[in-house]
Structures are given as C-alpha cells and as structure tokens.
Amino acid sequence: MAANHIADSSFFVALLTERDRDHDWAVAQAARHPRPWKTCEAALSEGFYMLGSSGMGALTALIERGSVVSAFDFGAHANDVLQLMTRYSNVPMAFAHACLVRMSEILSDPILLTTDSDFRVYRRNGRQVVPCVMPR
C-alpha cells in the first residue's frame, strides 16, 4: 500500500456526485486507500468549482474531518511546476495537474487517485510514470 495517497479534483467529484459515471469506482477506491488524501489548493479549487453549491458541503466536510489535506507549497516548487506546464503545453497541462505531478515527485511512495487520463501522458522525474489508480 502506498504511503502517500494524492487526490485529484476528478476523484473528489466522482466520489461526491452519485450521478457521476465513476462514482462507484471512487467509492471503492475511498474504502481501499486510507485517509488523509493529500492534494493541493489548486485541485481543491477545481473540485469546489466542479461540484458547485450542491457539492460544496460534502467536500468541506471531508476537509473539516481531516480526510483531505492540502499538502503542497507552490511557492517552494514554483519553478518545477511551471517547467512541467511548459513541457506539457501541447496537452495542455492544468496548473492543478502540474502541482499534483510535482507532489508525486517529492512525496515518498505516492499514488494518485484520479479519473483523468491525462496523467497517463505525464511523467515524473523526467521519464517515470506517475503512479495512478484510475477507472479505465
């Protein structure tokens, strides 16, 4: 089992939205991967935006319970994040995705929970696959 579980906004949306096509997958992963799930503020911002007012309370509750923690300091990793965004500008790489990839580089034994297939394209530490759990 991974030491650091990193969560993308797409995981939060799938977990907290019953009508999401990946909801059952996310519920199963939530049971399988222990909390707290680490993320970045950019992914939280995306998650709140995508969930809208109807899902805001559920994500807020996860944060308040300590199930989700922001564990990334962009200021300390700005150059690396911006380099990733430049490297993957053809995808293009979202700011939140760059932060999450950087988290996978600096945290020991990481695994990323996501429904976003772009993470299959991204590489950490140059050429390493980003360790992910995704539905397809």
Side-chain angles (χ1 to χ4, degrees), residues 116-135:
D116 195 322
S117 62
D118 284 347
F119 284 99
R120 288 190 174 112
V121 174
Y122 306 145
R123 295 293 178 260
R124 61 194 284 266
N125 300 316
R127 294 184 180 217
Q128 297 174 347
V129 171
V130 177
C132 293
V133 174
M134 56 180 76

Side-chain angles (χ1 to χ4, degrees), residues 22-123:
D22 295 316
H23 176 71
D24 292 338
W25 169 86
V27 170
Q29 298 314 309
R32 207 172 275 134
H33 297 279
R35 298 172 177 109
W37 301 311
K38 296 177 181 174
T39 194
C40 61
E41 291 171 356
L44 287 173
S45 177
E46 283 183 355
F48 278 116
Y49 177 78
M50 291 188 294
L51 287 165
S53 59
S54 63
M56 186 176 95
L59 184 52
T60 298
L62 286 175
I63 295 166
E64 289 174 340
R65 285 194 307 262
S67 295
V68 175
V69 296
S70 179
F72 185 69
D73 177 8
F74 170 70
H77 301 278
N79 288 336
D80 296 305
V81 168
L82 297 173
Q83 285 177 0
L84 282 165
M85 291 176 69
T86 299
R87 180 177 179 193
Y88 293 101
S89 61
N90 62 320
V91 174
M93 180 183 250
F95 175 66
H97 286 186
C99 292
L100 295 171
V101 170
R102 182 63 182 146
M103 288 177 71
S104 80
E105 293 175 333
I106 61 174
L107 295 173
S108 63
D109 195 21
I111 191 151
L112 177 68
L113 304 168
T114 185
T115 66
D116 195 322
S117 62
D118 284 347
F119 284 99
R120 288 190 174 112
V121 174
Y122 306 145
R123 295 293 178 260

